[in-house]
Amino acid sequence: QVQLVESGGGLVQTGGSLRLSCAASGSTRNIRTMAWFRQAPGQEREFVAAVWSLDSKILYTDSVKGRFTISRDNAKNTVYLQMNSLKPEDTAVYYCAADWRVLTTGTSGYVYWGQGTQVTVSS
């Protein structure tokens, strides 16, 4: 089993920045992909960004390209999401996800999930 714990969410004004962290513990040896998803009220959970450890391949959803940066510290089993130039439409609960399989943007591609951290961007 793998446990994921997110931190770093909060309330920020439009244009501000936040840095989310996700620490993995437990049986992390086979984890290859770590990702961030988000879910706004009344909407489905959507892919934000992911990083694959074997070749550091990174994917972003189009709406966050140029504003968000995902990074991974394999020694600490931690993945980060630096969010800059935040917009009200970025408001959501952000979830960390992890899996041993190849990087994917679908929720079904991840077996391990954190509890989520709230990000609220005020206008």
Side-chain angles (χ1 to χ4, degrees):
Q1 284 291 333
V2 174
Q3 294 78 43
L4 302 174
V5 178
E6 303 101 331
S7 61
L11 173 64
V12 64
Q13 292 185 335
T14 297
S17 299
L18 284 173
R19 188 192 193 206
L20 305 183
S21 299
C22 172
S25 61
S27 303
T28 61
R29 176 181 295 183
N30 295 325
I31 292 299
R32 292 290 179 262
T33 303
M34 296 190 75
W36 290 96
F37 287 75
R38 65 187 180 186
Q39 188 168 19
Q43 297 187 21
E44 294 186 353
R45 193 168 298 187
E46 67 171 356
F47 172 80
V48 175
V51 57
W52 193 36
S53 64
L54 295 184
D55 64 1
S56 299
K57 181 179 180 180
I58 289 176
L59 286 179
Y60 295 101
T61 192
D62 286 345
S63 64
V64 307
K65 287 181 180 177
R67 299 189 298 122
F68 291 10
T69 303
I70 189 171
S71 60
R72 180 172 178 172
D73 186 333
N74 290 326
K76 296 182 179 180
N77 291 317
T78 300
V79 65
Y80 305 94
L81 186 68
Q82 178 66 44
M83 305 185 295
N84 298 327
S85 301
L86 282 162
K87 305 175 182 180
E89 50 263 45
D90 294 318
T91 295
V93 177
Y94 283 70
Y95 295 91
C96 178
D99 204 283
W100 64 86
R101 292 169 289 183
V102 175
L103 190 153
T104 178
T105 60
T107 56
S108 61
Y110 298 87
V111 66
Y112 301 112
W113 292 86
Q115 293 299 308
T117 185
Q118 177 71 46
V119 172
T120 303
V121 184
S122 63
S123 58

